[in-house]
Amino acid sequence: MNARRQTTALVTTVVAVLIIAGFVATRVWAQQINGVPGAPSSTVTLDGKQLPPSPMPFGGVIKESAKDSTPWWPPRVVPPKGAPNILLIMTDDQGYGVSGTFGGVIPTPAMDRIANAGLRYTEFHSTALCSPTRAALITGRNHHSVGYGVIGELSTGYPGYDSIIGPDSATIGTMLRDNGYSTAWFGKDHNIPAFQYSEAGPFDQWPVGEGFQYFYGFLGGETDQWTPYLYRNTTPVFPWIGKPGYNLTTDLADDAIKYISGLNAAAPDKPFFVYYVPGGTHSPHQPTKEWIDKFKGKFDMGYEKLRDEIFANQKRLGVIPANTELTPWPDGQAAYGGAKLPKWDSLSLIQKKLYSREAEVFAAYAAYTDNEIGRVIQEVQDEGKLDNTLIIYVSGDNGTSAEGTLEGTYNQMTAYNGILTLPLPLQMLHYTDWGSDKTYPHMSVAWSWAFDTPFKWTKQVASHFGGTRQGMAISWPGHITDVGGIRPQFHHVIDIVPTILEATGVKAPEMVNGIKQKPIEGVSMAYTFDKANANAPSKHDIQYFEMVGNRAIYHDGWIASTTPPAAPWLLATGKLTDVNDYNWELYHITEDYSQNNDLATKMPDKLKEMQALFLTEAAKYQVLPLDNTGFSRLLTPRPSAVAGRTVFTYKGENSNIPVGNAPSILDKDYTITAEVTVPQGGAEGMIVTLGGRFGGYGLYLLKGKPVFDYNMLDLTHYRWEGGVLGHGLTADALEPGKHTIVFDFKYDGPGPGKGGEGVFTIDGKEVARKKIPHTIPLLMSIDETFDVGSDTRTGVNDDYKLPFRFTGTIDKLTFNLGPEQLTDADKKAIAEKLARARD
């Protein structure tokens, strides 16, 4: 018994000692967590001068033995105390009159939520075009200052137009990441030079190279929402496979929600910066059917009455001044450069039915996009972080798009190829599936004009507010003291970065990676958060605008604007007006909100003053040289991994090669030679394809029989099959063994889109010969890639189901390209048309 008692006592004593020791250790650990210098959880806030900061010297002690040494951990970098989370949202191709928040007829409850909890801004501006606005948004610098004077596909060898965000212009992603934020980007990019889209990189211009630790989205100006050209960081992904009803708009929200939730679980105190930029409502307009059904019959009144309704709503909401005038409908006026849009009453009943459907689908897409944005905002609330989150919601990166032709189109690829009129019966065949995966649609220009109420013009027009005025709402609980208020101060997209910096307390760095930084060119809007400053003068008192030679200059309540020499929905053919011969207009927007009353002839001295100011600003921000050759800039030589190559060879399976890195068979002779091995039991599947449902070609085996299918923009198909040997004889499927399949095409040039003759041979024997009257002249695909050995996204026809992998072996695939059969005039016309697909 005594021994047992002694043992028990000893155990009790040991346990007590261990508990005491553990308690002491816990107290020491707690001290370290609370910030003992050099402890694993110690933190530091940067002074902002240099990013990333220089490595700190070791702060511990190192002796010969660890027992005589003191460990030390570098402190974690954290933002200033109380720095909020940031959720920056921007939609696509939505003018001022689209959202219900700013008087539109399309409900946008998520944007309403931000406006009602914060402020609405009624004089906020973009650059009038997609990627230039986005480059300015994420850098806080004017779009020419960071190489995006125009979209990257039109880049030239001048600093303001090279489509490269230089290392001297760090993005807000880099600034916040290096100051302790988690940073993520969801949705559209379009700020990567077009010649760097492939998986070959380099990746310094991709989101992951611009300060965003996570990216989930698409690279170019648009993508099919049902089968998107999608990347996670730098890896292509195909999330719709096996998911009937998949739509990218919902997928982006799902991924953002998962990211925010996961971040909260792993590091609940770490602030986030989420840049959320879905594709809605850029074409193709592809919402889900349930959203389309909600808008049935909502636009039967026509676009002129829609303008009237929006205008009345805007006055009622106070998002335009009470004395605002509705600008006239374009009816050939000289002030509109002769632009003319048909009146609703001039349309036939069938046209009205079709046009109404176009607007229903567009409206559904806008509402659907806002709904998914609302889900992301709700996730922030569900994580308990809404009260410490600055949310900025911009409706559109430019005015509503006028790229859908005067009639609208069920396949935007036809318009991109210069086919501006489709037979009405053909359009009506797609009436019921408009917006589905069977279409790639856009709407009539007249709707676009109406959705930019009360202003003139549309997307692409930098001189007028129809191209540049965007609705914007900002909320920040506890920091905005005039909840639900309206702010009339003039601001620009370059003001977003300085606003975020002031809100977070993060300083704009002087040096990043050892490179001196260009100054931030915007001004913070945080002064408008105070109720006392509701009507304070704007701190952004000068702003230039320029896009393809069309330009404007704002200064202290005045704006001078050039008259667009041609409407953006026209093809800009014919002689260009010299860039120095544009007509100038003058408006006092303090009294004339909608740019309706031109004062140029009444105040010529004021106009000259403004014109001189434009040239000063243009020289300051890399706008020069002015160039209105515009879309013919597509012909400008620029870096390319395949420039000048006429022979391309592949083997095995190679999918997801972007169009710019693929052999182009447009407007030239070409020969495709496939050397394949068919295994025992036969083979089938795709050998090579580019494009898909809405235009492209495919060479494949179908149940062993070789087929070459040329999809002429979903208007018709031209087909060569290996089964016809002549004399009524048909061949069986290719037997096991090696075979050579050749498709040789002789083009009927010169000129774009001409026909030609294709000859199909198998193992040296001609099996099919066919002449065709037309080919695709300008653009075969935007987001359908070049695939060898399989087919991704959509099929070139309905013969097969994806991914339709080739079950044999591709030993060698060769493209031999002849010279392009285009004159200089042809090239110029093609460039002007093609560029409209790229923004």
Side-chain angles (χ1 to χ4, degrees):
M1 290 290 294
N2 289 338
R4 183 177 296 176
R5 287 174 182 171
Q6 288 176 346
T7 301
T8 301
L10 178 60
V11 170
T12 302
T13 301
V14 170
V15 170
V17 169
L18 290 173
I19 290 173
I20 293 170
F23 176 69
V24 172
T26 300
R27 291 193 63 185
V28 171
W29 184 255
Q31 280 185 314
Q32 293 174 338
I33 290 176
N34 290 328
V36 175
S41 294
S42 63
T43 59
V44 65
T45 298
L46 304 181
D47 62 10
K49 293 182 179 180
Q50 175 180 313
L51 296 178
S54 298
M56 296 180 69
F58 182 71
V61 177
I62 298 178
K63 298 292 186 179
E64 184 175 346
S65 172
K67 66 183 178 63
D68 299 323
S69 304
T70 305
W72 182 88
W73 295 89
R76 290 183 300 111
V77 175
V78 296
K81 186 176 181 179
N85 304 300
I86 307 294
L87 176 56
L88 175 57
I89 302 161
M90 185 167 67
T91 57
D92 203 324
D93 282 7
Q94 294 183 6
Y96 194 72
V98 170
S99 71
T101 312
F102 286 85
V105 301
I106 303 171
T108 49
M111 192 175 202
D112 289 346
R113 178 179 185 177
I114 303 308
N116 294 337
L119 301 168
R120 278 177 291 181
Y121 289 77
T122 61
E123 293 196 31
F124 183 79
H125 300 84
S126 68
T127 70
L129 210 56
C130 297
S131 49
T133 291
R134 293 162 190 272
L137 177 68
I138 63 174
T139 64
R141 300 165 178 99
N142 284 298
H143 58 119
H144 294 84
S145 293
V146 292
Y148 271 92
V150 73
I151 57 175
E153 290 84 350
L154 303 182
S155 59
T156 58
Y158 296 102
Y161 301 90
D162 62 11
S163 74
I164 298 172
I165 299 176
D168 57 355
S169 301
T171 72
I172 186 63
T174 294
M175 297 178 205
L176 294 184
R177 178 200 63 192
D178 288 357
N179 275 278
Y181 272 77
S182 291
T183 57
W185 181 333
F186 299 87
K188 178 173 173 174
D189 185 320
H190 210 194
N191 282 140
I192 303 172
F195 48 84
Q196 293 183 5
Y197 273 14
S198 80
E199 294 168 60
F203 300 115
D204 58 299
Q205 298 288 302
W206 289 49
V208 294
E210 293 283 11
F212 293 86
Q213 296 159 318
Y214 180 76
F215 170 63
Y216 187 67
F218 56 100
L219 306 184
E222 67 187 61
T223 192
D224 188 294
Q225 298 294 294
W226 306 106
T227 55
Y229 185 16
L230 201 62
Y231 278 82
R232 178 170 279 113
N233 299 320
T234 60
T235 302
V237 292
F238 308 87
W240 66 87
I241 295 175
K243 295 181 181 178
Y246 170 94
N247 190 288
L248 177 59
T249 305
T250 292
D251 185 28
L252 289 174
D254 289 345
D255 208 72
I257 289 167
K258 181 180 179 181
Y259 173 85
I260 294 169
S261 175
L263 181 64
N264 187 62
D269 294 327
K270 188 172 185 179
F272 63 74
F273 169 47
V274 169
Y275 179 40
Y276 192 81
V277 277
T281 52
H282 196 292
S283 65
H285 301 160
Q286 293 173 323
T288 61
K289 185 178 183 300
E290 64 177 305
W291 282 97
I292 296 174
D293 291 344
K294 295 175 187 288
F295 290 89
K296 180 66 177 175
K298 299 293 185 181
F299 295 92
D300 290 350
M301 81 294 265
Y303 29 71
E304 294 135 301
K305 289 184 179 178
L306 172 63
R307 286 186 93 215
D308 293 338
E309 185 175 345
I310 294 172
F311 188 62
N313 290 343
Q314 290 171 333
K315 285 198 172 183
R316 175 177 53 81
L317 291 172
V319 295
I320 62 175
N323 66 347
T324 301
E325 296 175 321
L326 181 61
T327 54
W329 186 255
D331 198 21
Q333 302 97 318
Y336 285 8
K340 185 174 183 178
L341 295 175
K343 298 288 186 67
W344 184 256
D345 286 344
S346 72
L347 304 178
S348 69
L349 291 177
I350 297 298
Q351 285 177 311
K352 289 179 179 179
K353 183 178 178 66
L354 175 65
Y355 289 17
S356 294
R357 182 64 166 177
E358 296 168 0
E360 291 166 9
V361 172
F362 171 81
Y365 196 17
Y368 173 36
T369 300
D370 178 82
N371 182 78
E372 300 307 290
I373 289 169
R375 293 178 54 224
V376 176
I377 295 170
Q378 185 61 42
E379 177 63 23
V380 176
Q381 177 176 328
D382 292 346
E383 298 291 350
K385 296 189 173 184
L386 193 61
D387 287 344
N388 190 36
T389 300
L390 171 66
I391 301 179
I392 302 172
Y393 188 152
V394 184
S395 178
D397 53 356
N398 43 240
T400 315
S401 169
E403 294 148 1
T405 78
L406 290 175
E407 298 178 346
T409 174
Y410 74 89
N411 179 9
Q412 183 68 29
M413 296 298 296
T414 58
Y416 291 162
N417 280 280
I419 302 172
L420 301 185
T421 301
L422 294 174
L424 192 57
L426 177 60
Q427 295 264 61
M428 289 301 294
L429 287 176
H430 292 279
Y431 178 86
T432 57
D433 60 18
W434 202 279
S436 75
D437 61 345
K438 304 297 190 297
T439 64
Y440 198 90
H442 203 327
M443 64 184 175
S444 163
V445 170
W447 291 118
S448 304
W449 193 285
F451 282 120
D452 289 343
T453 300
F455 305 112
K456 308 171 188 175
W457 297 106
T458 62
K459 174 184 177 179
Q460 298 188 24
V461 179
S463 56
H464 289 73
F465 296 147
T468 63
R469 182 66 58 83
Q470 314 300 146
M472 180 182 68
I474 299 179
S475 70
W476 190 16
H479 297 267
I480 291 176
T481 58
D482 186 21
V483 172
I486 291 175
R487 293 293 181 267
Q489 289 84 3
F490 188 99
H491 280 287
H492 188 269
V493 68
I494 60 175
D495 298 336
I496 296 295
V497 165
T499 302
I500 292 173
L501 292 177
E502 182 171 347
T504 58
V506 170
K507 305 296 184 184
E510 298 173 11
M511 304 282 289
V512 174
N513 295 320
I515 297 174
K516 182 176 174 57
Q517 296 294 289
K518 287 184 177 181
I520 298 296
E521 294 165 0
V523 300
S524 172
M525 298 181 289
Y527 72 96
T528 65
F529 295 172
D530 193 324
K531 188 173 184 178
N533 290 332
N535 295 297
S538 175
K539 292 186 177 183
H540 193 132
D541 58 357
I542 300 177
Q543 180 61 48
Y544 80 89
F545 298 85
E546 191 276 343
M547 194 62 64
V548 196
N550 192 42
R551 53 208 185 273
I553 182 73
Y554 166 85
H555 178 49
D556 197 20
W558 291 83
I559 191 166
S561 310
T562 58
T563 305
W569 56 89
L570 302 177
L571 295 181
T573 54
K575 184 175 174 16
L576 286 168
T577 302
D578 187 274
V579 73
N580 294 314
D581 293 337
Y582 280 34
N583 180 63
W584 281 81
E585 306 163 12
L586 178 68
Y587 301 97
H588 190 197
I589 63 171
T590 302
E591 300 174 359
D592 179 18
Y593 180 82
S594 61
Q595 287 179 293
N596 193 48
N597 299 302
D598 181 9
L599 303 175
T601 57
K602 296 180 180 179
M603 304 182 70
D605 292 340
K606 182 65 176 179
L607 178 60
K608 289 179 181 178
E609 172 194 325
M610 297 290 283
Q611 289 171 314
L613 180 59
F614 174 83
L615 288 176
T616 299
E617 296 295 289
K620 182 178 180 181
Y621 295 116
Q622 301 186 163
V623 181
L624 303 179
L626 292 174
D627 183 1
N628 71 345
T629 57
F631 301 126
S632 62
R633 298 182 206 177
L634 277 171
L635 306 177
T636 300
R638 56 182 61 88
S640 170
V642 296
R645 181 180 289 273
T646 59
V647 178
F648 295 75
T649 59
Y650 310 89
K651 66 177 182 178
E653 183 173 330
N654 289 275
S655 62
N656 218 61
I657 298 172
V659 174
N661 294 72
S664 172
I665 65 171
L666 299 176
D667 307 315
K668 59 173 70 76
D669 296 344
Y670 60 90
T671 303
I672 305 172
T673 303
E675 299 173 35
V676 302
T677 301
V678 175
Q680 292 296 325
E684 72 169 6
M686 184 60 66
I687 297 173
V688 63
T689 182
L690 189 147
R693 180 187 298 277
F694 305 107
Y697 66 84
L699 171 62
Y700 54 93
L701 299 188
L702 184 66
K703 297 181 180 179
K705 181 183 296 185
V707 177
F708 185 83
D709 186 293
Y710 190 94
N711 179 352
M712 183 64 189
L713 301 173
D714 200 28
L715 299 173
T716 189
H717 285 254
Y718 304 117
R719 188 180 181 97
W720 291 256
E721 295 189 56
V724 180
L725 293 176
H727 305 292
L729 300 176
T730 59
D732 296 326
L734 291 183
E735 296 179 351
K738 292 186 178 296
H739 297 277
T740 300
I741 305 169
V742 178
F743 182 77
D744 183 72
F745 189 80
K746 292 295 185 288
Y747 184 68
D748 292 338
K754 298 295 179 64
E757 184 174 56
V759 179
F760 205 26
T761 63
I762 300 172
D763 297 330
K765 297 180 181 179
E766 181 179 318
V767 295
R769 178 186 293 262
K770 180 181 296 185
K771 288 187 67 68
I772 62 175
H774 303 289
T775 57
I776 297 172
L778 313 177
L779 186 66
M780 190 165 280
S781 172
I782 292 178
D783 62 349
E784 289 267 7
T785 54
F786 178 75
D787 301 326
V788 178
S790 66
D791 193 359
T792 60
R793 297 180 181 83
T794 66
V796 73
N797 59 36
D798 294 327
D799 274 356
Y800 54 89
K801 294 183 179 180
L802 300 182
F804 202 45
R805 284 192 164 85
F806 186 60
T807 58
T809 302
I810 299 174
D811 301 313
K812 187 178 181 181
L813 174 69
T814 305
F815 278 70
N816 285 277
L817 306 180
E820 199 171 58
Q821 298 187 39
L822 300 173
T823 65
D824 289 344
D826 291 332
K827 292 179 179 179
K828 181 178 178 181
I830 284 174
E832 290 166 345
K833 297 173 183 177
L834 179 57
R836 304 198 180 276
R838 304 302 187 106
D839 59 356

